[in-house]
Amino acid sequence: MKKKLLAGLLAVSAVAGLASCSEVPTVSKIDITNQDTTATFGQSFADSDLKVTATMTDGTTKDVTAEATIDSSKVDTSKAGVYAVVVSYAGQSVVYNVTVEAPVVTPEATVSSIAVSGQNTSFKVGDQFEVGAVKVTATMSDNTTKDVQATVD
């Protein structure tokens, strides 16, 4: 009786072992790499360098970039802000953020001061004025200088 019971247990164990060996691995998680986390204001967003890797229940990994769904439809490059991109494959999802920064607007420099130099910078009514004898330099609000051409009307 003991031999039959032991043989039956061994047979059941062997069948159970074979059944677990024949399981098809499924996706346990996905990971993303090379994702763009910034987008240029006013330009279209396409995360062309993104790579999606699936980790299977048996521990193996495979590149599933071509099969994954990448939803970046919420990224609005016409407005500064942070937008979510959802990457999905086989029931697994990963979310990452894309930041659209406001464009840097450099204001046009304005004249902050004028300096006059030359041989004669003081004139009286009736004096002869030579345009080339006077140099006018404007200092701008961004600390640059510009030579200003003197004209006489």
Side-chain angles (χ1 to χ4, degrees):
M1 177 81 164
K2 286 184 180 180
K3 286 184 181 182
K4 286 185 181 180
L5 181 59
L6 183 59
L9 287 174
L10 287 175
V12 169
S13 295
V15 170
L18 288 175
S20 66
C21 289
S22 65
E23 288 182 21
V24 176
T26 59
V27 176
S28 62
K29 70 173 186 168
I30 60 171
D31 294 301
I32 55 173
T33 54
N34 299 333
Q35 66 270 25
D36 285 336
T37 56
T38 58
T40 304
F41 188 90
Q43 302 293 316
S44 62
F45 175 74
D47 203 347
S48 57
D49 293 331
L50 179 71
K51 181 178 178 185
V52 184
T53 304
T55 301
M56 309 305 284
T57 52
D58 65 358
T60 60
T61 60
K62 70 177 186 173
D63 182 348
V64 294
T65 305
E67 297 89 14
T69 301
I70 302 166
D71 181 5
S72 59
S73 63
K74 293 190 179 6
V75 177
D76 184 354
T77 60
S78 70
K79 297 177 189 168
V82 178
Y83 301 93
V85 174
V86 180
V87 180
S88 303
Y89 176 76
Q92 302 292 320
S93 295
V94 174
V95 177
Y96 72 96
N97 291 326
V98 173
T99 301
V100 177
E101 294 179 355
V104 177
V105 178
T106 305
E108 190 172 319
T110 58
V111 175
S112 49
S113 67
I114 294 177
V116 180
S117 60
Q119 295 174 5
N120 189 5
T121 58
S122 178
F123 300 94
K124 296 178 189 167
V125 175
D127 285 351
Q128 283 288 358
F129 177 75
E130 293 183 34
V131 175
V134 176
K135 180 179 179 186
V136 179
T137 304
T139 301
M140 308 303 285
S141 58
D142 63 359
N143 292 323
T144 60
T145 59
K146 292 185 178 182
D147 288 335
V148 179
Q149 176 136 356
T151 59
V152 178
D153 289 335

